[in-house]
Amino acid sequence: MRAESNGTSRRILCVFPRYTSSFGTFEYSYPLTDGVRAFMPPQGLLLISAYLPQDWQVKFVDENLRRTTREEFEWAEAVFVSGMHIQRQQMNDICRRAHEFDLAVALGGPSVSACPDYYPSFDYLHVGELGDATNQLIEILSRDTSRPESQVVLTTRDRVPMTEFPIPAYELADVKKYFLGSIQYSSGCPYQCEFCDIPGLYGRNPRIKSPEQIIAELDRLRECGMTDTVYFVDDNFIGNRKAAMDLLPHLIEWQKQTGYVMRLACEATLNIAKRPEILEKMREAFFITIFCGIETPDPGALHAMHKDHNMMVPILEGVRTINSYGMEVVSGIIMGLDTDKPNTTDALLAFVEESQIPLLTINLLQALPKTPLWDRLEREGRLVHDEGRDSNVDFLLPYDDVVSSWKYCMEVAYAPEKVYARYQHQCDYTYANRLNVPVAPEMKTWPNIKRGLIMLRNIFWQIGVRGDYRRVFWKFAFGRIRRGDLEGLIGSATIAHHLITFARAASSGKQNASNYSIRLREAAVPAE
């Protein structure tokens, strides 16, 4: 589906901002690859690019790959931007640069939808999802691309059904330069966790695409050169369990037909561990990773944040159940909760040790607009509007103590020997349970073999020779080599290097203690 045109052709420049360095963008892994330079293709801008009228010309620039050129701004008649809170500073910078060419700039996406007041300089604010506001913006630009006298805010009231979404314009993105592929199946989540803004932004009744749409998107990604892991960016893959079960047979059949050239990953609530019928189908579809927002191992804290569904199965049992189907668990952890105690740090580190989860995104609590947490803290007078802090929450424990505990957790949890011990556990008890798939002919080609050799060379040189934790690395590497598990070696070493390097910066105070921090930093991922 595309928007209708009134016969006027326009030139639209879509610009995606750089990320500020964060734990979840894996930028320290990129030098170990064969040319990866950015995290994931941005779904929002690529969807909008595909939705624009057929006769409109579109250019797409991801500033995580390179900076927008003067020639591109001169070519454009209007600029579209989208992004998350962590990209706020960079979005405002793109607006400033576009205004130097007297271009009208429209901003959409999750950050502006939650906090329009963050972006007073933009000409058009698109609040909400694809829908009538999008059509209004297109209609306005069809008539006149000059900058309006004052900011125009367009809010979606009538959303386009996801079954009518076009395939995102993946062909505009150089997908081979991304760490992960991205695909969206659903929007919204039925749960109401206190700290989460998803229900407020996208609703509690998950909207979904058809299985045929997902298969078509996977085909397009493959046509564009993506043969690695594709991440379902849904807020909760099992938000609609029946729909997930309807989709999985299609994914299984597609994987069989294409030779399992892609690995799949997603985000889901931990209670997926109570659904063996879903986990078995996910294993057959070659899902290898599930991000679970565990948040805390403390049952009392889970109850206080309205995340009781994490207690439908004992947390450690749930993690091991998921591992038994060959899927590694990645976990979100929050520090600074009202229920935290002086011994919370020790309890958290004990959980890391027991769970053997290699990758846990440990963040300080941040109150986001459009969440019950924001509303409660506002009533209690505990929102702190100080952009020099890592959190906007007035913790019950002393702020400096909470930040120090976070730094300590990062230092201990991501010490090289501990990270590699957890990856060794995954190799032995998780990866070994994965579907034994045949090697597709296209994976045996010289370009693919060359790619693997380049990554091995980079890993051996930068970690095994130049790295200061090379002894830990070689102990792990020799074990993988003896078993002929080069894939496990490459995958584990690549991620581990990012975790170790980022955690060292975090424990020394050189990184924000929250992915949503209001403490603005210059983007640490340069656009060259």
Side-chain angles (χ1 to χ4, degrees):
M1 177 181 179
R2 279 185 176 273
E4 295 182 0
S5 169
N6 65 357
T8 304
S9 178
R10 295 300 185 196
R11 298 186 302 275
I12 305 298
L13 178 62
C14 294
V15 184
F16 189 66
R18 287 178 293 159
Y19 285 111
T20 300
S21 179
S22 84
F23 201 58
T25 51
F26 301 103
E27 65 265 21
Y28 294 114
S29 295
Y30 303 165
L32 303 180
T33 69
D34 67 329
V36 167
R37 296 185 48 207
F39 182 42
M40 285 193 299
Q43 282 282 311
L45 277 180
L46 295 179
L47 175 64
I48 289 292
S49 298
Y51 184 75
L52 290 174
Q54 184 75 45
D55 51 355
W56 286 30
Q57 300 176 60
V58 183
K59 288 187 178 181
F60 167 74
V61 178
D62 185 342
E63 293 209 329
N64 293 285
L65 296 174
R66 65 169 179 84
R67 191 174 174 87
T68 309
T69 65
R70 178 184 185 88
E71 290 73 22
E72 285 164 331
F73 281 122
E74 290 176 341
W75 170 87
E77 292 180 284
V79 176
F80 286 7
V81 183
S82 177
M84 300 177 287
H85 290 320
I86 197 171
Q87 297 163 296
R88 173 182 170 189
Q89 184 167 311
Q90 292 81 274
M91 286 188 278
N92 283 319
D93 180 61
I94 293 168
C95 182
R96 177 191 59 77
R97 284 184 279 143
H99 281 169
E100 291 177 357
F101 295 86
D102 200 29
L103 292 169
V105 190
L107 176 65
S111 184
V112 68
S113 295
C115 302
D117 55 302
Y118 280 2
Y119 304 101
S121 299
F122 282 81
D123 301 290
Y124 297 98
L125 299 186
H126 181 292
V127 176
E129 297 182 80
L130 188 72
D132 53 353
T134 321
N135 295 331
Q136 291 172 36
L137 177 61
I138 291 170
E139 183 181 350
I140 291 170
L141 294 176
S142 294
R143 295 194 308 266
D144 184 6
T145 58
S146 60
R147 294 182 59 193
E149 292 184 4
S150 59
Q151 186 179 77
V152 177
V153 180
L154 305 169
T155 303
T156 295
R157 306 296 180 192
D158 183 15
R159 298 179 294 187
V160 172
M162 291 191 72
T163 51
E164 297 179 14
F165 275 22
I167 296 175
Y170 295 119
E171 65 277 4
L172 297 180
D174 190 350
V175 299
K176 291 182 179 180
K177 286 188 167 59
Y178 288 93
F179 194 72
L180 297 171
S182 63
I183 196 167
Q184 183 183 20
Y185 174 50
S186 65
S187 177
C189 181
Y191 299 107
Q192 287 188 297
C193 305
E194 187 186 39
F195 57 86
C196 184
D197 61 353
I198 296 303
L201 288 174
Y202 306 120
R204 295 186 61 196
N205 185 21
R207 303 156 63 230
I208 59 171
K209 293 178 182 175
S210 69
E212 292 75 18
Q213 285 175 282
I214 297 302
I215 297 305
E217 290 192 26
L218 288 170
D219 282 334
R220 182 68 57 82
L221 276 169
R222 189 168 176 237
E223 290 168 6
C224 293
M226 174 58 65
T227 57
D228 289 311
T229 302
V230 174
Y231 191 87
F232 282 76
V233 298
D234 305 17
D235 312 307
N236 184 359
F237 185 72
I238 61 165
N240 183 323
R241 291 192 293 271
K242 181 183 182 303
M245 281 297 289
D246 289 343
L247 172 65
L248 286 168
H250 294 266
L251 293 178
I252 293 168
E253 184 59 30
W254 184 83
Q255 290 281 39
K256 290 177 179 178
Q257 290 177 359
T258 58
Y260 296 90
V261 295
M262 287 188 189
R263 289 150 179 75
L264 306 178
C266 70
E267 180 173 340
T269 41
L270 188 64
N271 58 357
I272 195 174
K274 289 185 67 67
R275 299 289 174 174
E277 71 281 7
I278 293 179
L279 291 173
E280 180 54 43
K281 293 294 183 185
M282 290 178 72
R283 177 179 180 272
E284 291 181 50
F286 215 28
F287 277 82
I288 62 168
T289 305
I290 301 180
F291 181 98
C292 295
I294 291 175
E295 320 309 355
T296 172
D298 178 3
L302 289 171
H303 180 71
M305 67 174 69
H306 308 302
K307 197 148 189 172
D308 299 85
H309 48 276
N310 265 14
M311 295 183 285
M312 290 178 67
V313 60
I315 291 177
L316 291 174
E317 179 184 320
V319 172
R320 289 167 186 147
T321 296
I322 294 171
N323 290 164
S324 72
Y325 288 88
M327 287 174 277
E328 179 184 320
V329 173
V330 173
S331 171
I333 295 292
I334 300 175
M335 300 185 70
L337 300 169
D338 285 0
T339 48
D340 281 2
K341 305 174 184 65
N343 66 345
T344 292
T345 300
D346 293 336
L348 174 56
L349 290 173
F351 171 75
V352 174
E353 195 77 20
E354 288 182 90
S355 69
Q356 292 295 309
I357 296 173
L359 200 174
L360 306 96
T361 60
I362 307 173
N363 284 304
L364 291 191
L365 179 67
Q366 181 81 6
L368 300 177
K370 296 187 182 296
T371 63
L373 176 65
W374 175 282
D375 295 340
R376 176 172 68 83
L377 294 179
E378 190 171 47
R379 288 194 304 271
E380 297 173 3
R382 292 176 53 203
L383 288 176
V384 181
H385 302 286
D386 178 356
E387 295 190 354
R389 286 169 50 105
D390 274 307
S391 172
N392 62 352
V393 177
D394 181 11
F395 302 127
L396 296 185
L397 293 174
Y399 173 79
D400 289 341
D401 290 356
V402 176
V403 174
S404 295
S405 295
W406 175 79
K407 291 178 180 178
Y408 179 71
C409 281
M410 295 296 287
E411 179 182 6
V412 174
Y414 292 105
E417 59 276 9
K418 290 189 177 293
V419 174
Y420 271 97
R422 298 201 296 273
Y423 270 114
Q424 184 63 58
H425 178 91
Q426 294 300 308
C427 288
D428 293 340
Y429 298 103
T430 299
Y431 307 160
N433 296 321
R434 285 178 180 165
L435 196 67
N436 187 16
V437 300
V439 180
E442 66 187 83
M443 305 303 287
K444 300 176 185 177
T445 59
W446 170 242
N448 194 62
I449 294 171
K450 180 181 177 182
R451 179 170 178 263
L453 292 174
I454 289 172
M455 294 185 71
L456 282 172
R457 178 201 65 189
N458 293 341
I459 290 168
F460 290 159
W461 173 248
Q462 296 191 43
I463 301 176
V465 176
R466 300 182 63 196
D468 60 7
Y469 62 90
R470 52 186 173 269
R471 289 187 180 180
V472 175
F473 164 76
W474 282 117
K475 179 181 177 182
F476 175 84
F478 284 139
R480 292 297 95 207
I481 293 170
R482 280 196 298 270
R483 291 167 174 80
D485 183 19
L486 295 181
E487 182 179 346
L489 168 58
I490 292 172
S492 300
T494 302
I495 301 296
H497 184 66
H498 171 76
L499 304 182
I500 292 166
T501 308
F502 187 96
R504 286 175 171 177
S507 60
S508 61
K510 297 177 182 177
Q511 293 288 355
N512 287 352
S514 171
N515 285 339
Y516 306 100
S517 178
I518 57 175
R519 181 183 169 197
L520 298 178
R521 283 185 189 270
E522 186 61 40
V525 183
E528 297 178 356

